[in-house]
Each structure stands twice: as structure tokens, then as C-alpha cells.
Amino acid sequence: MPTNVERASVVSRHVQIESATLIDTRMKSTLHTIDQPTAFRLGNWFRCRHELSSSNPDRLLVHVELKFEASPEGETDSEITVVDLTATFLATYRLADASSYPQDALHHFADLNGTLNVWPYWRELVQSFAGRAGLPGVVVPVFRPRLKQIPEQEELQIPEEAESR
């Protein structure tokens, strides 16, 4: 059975990153220095989507949406979130004849490489914003992609012109 990394590599061997841009961010904090909890439960989540540029057939656009939450440790009410930060980054890649690549390969590339490429910016954003909200010392762990077995749907085809690039 192929893996998500194998499918992503169909694209990653031929792609060049052009930019990683923060396009949206929101933060809500209800944390106050008076009566501040001493321990927090931290959560981190992300999802990706990709699209081909309508104006340039050699551009792959990857939107990475990320979320960070902090809640008081041991709090029984799961609805209490004292820091809620969301951000969306746009990673732009140059990929000759991007539409010729299989959709599943583009999907796995976006999920793995797109997230990996914006992750350092996300880590810095969380650390900076969390500190400004009163959560000292928050460090988002390094991104560790998970190797997943992918059910055999159809054999991946690498575009002929991609082999020579």
C-alpha cells in the first residue's frame, strides 16, 4: 500500500516554493493577570486545501488553516478557552503544468509540505500572540508529519514532462 509521503513526493520532487504569506489571523483572549490559572491545557490543530491558480497554470496555492487554544488545566467545563488563536497562511509554489498532476498527489503534498513550510511562521505567531495575551513560555512543538498508509485507489502517474525536470 502506498503512503501519503510517497504520493506527496510525486509533486515535491518538481516544486519550488515562492512565498508563505499570512492572509488571515484572529485572536480572542479572556486571560487576565488577576486570578490567572497556573496550568493550562494547550491544543493545536490544522487543515489544508489546495487549488491551482486560475491566472497562472504553473502555480499551486496551498491554504493552511491553523488553530491554537489554551484552557485552564483541570477545568471541568470544556467550553472554557482563555486564548483562541486562528491563522491562515497561503503557500505559493511554482510547478510546471500543475494541472497534469494527480489530485491525490496534490492533496498529500499540500497536507505535508504546505504545513511543513508554514509551520515555523505559525510557531512564531503562537509564541508572540500567546505571550501578549499573558501566556508566558508557549512553544509549539516541531511539525512531525504522520506516515499514513493510503488505500490503493489507482496507480499514480507522474507526468512524462515532469520526469525530465
Side-chain angles (χ1 to χ4, degrees):
M1 232 188 281
T3 66
N4 56 338
V5 173
E6 290 168 339
R7 296 218 174 152
S9 72
V10 169
V11 175
S12 64
R13 290 183 290 219
H14 309 287
V15 73
Q16 183 68 10
I17 190 165
E18 291 188 330
S19 65
T21 308
L22 177 64
I23 60 172
D24 185 44
T25 186
R26 292 184 198 114
M27 185 176 96
K28 181 176 181 186
S29 174
T30 58
L31 188 62
H32 302 288
T33 55
I34 300 172
D35 298 326
Q36 179 174 330
T38 56
F40 297 92
R41 184 176 52 253
L42 307 177
N44 203 39
W45 165 94
F46 71 94
R47 70 178 175 193
C48 301
R49 69 178 175 82
H50 72 277
E51 63 183 293
L52 301 177
S53 171
S54 58
S55 62
N56 190 330
D58 292 342
R59 295 298 178 271
L60 172 65
L61 308 174
V62 177
H63 299 261
V64 184
E65 299 172 50
L66 302 115
K67 182 175 183 78
F68 169 83
E69 293 179 330
S71 303
E73 185 69 52
E75 187 62 51
T76 57
D77 183 0
S78 62
E79 296 297 315
I80 295 178
T81 299
V82 293
V83 176
D84 185 354
L85 172 64
T86 60
T88 302
F89 289 87
L90 174 62
T92 304
Y93 299 90
R94 186 174 56 247
L95 179 63
D97 199 19
S99 64
S100 67
Y101 287 82
Q103 281 299 308
D104 68 329
L106 293 169
H107 166 76
H108 290 292
F109 172 82
D111 192 47
L112 294 170
N113 290 69
T115 307
L116 179 66
N117 291 148
V118 304
W119 200 257
Y121 304 107
W122 172 240
R123 294 180 73 212
E124 186 278 329
L125 188 74
V126 169
Q127 187 172 27
S128 177
F129 277 44
R132 292 177 200 279
L135 278 177
V138 173
V139 177
V140 174
V142 297
F143 178 68
R144 290 190 174 93
R146 293 187 188 150
L147 186 66
K148 298 177 192 172
Q149 298 290 321
I150 306 297
E152 194 72 49
Q153 296 166 356
E154 60 184 61
E155 189 175 325
L156 286 179
Q157 299 295 318
I158 300 172
E160 288 178 31
E161 58 280 356
E163 286 290 353
S164 62
R165 284 184 223 134

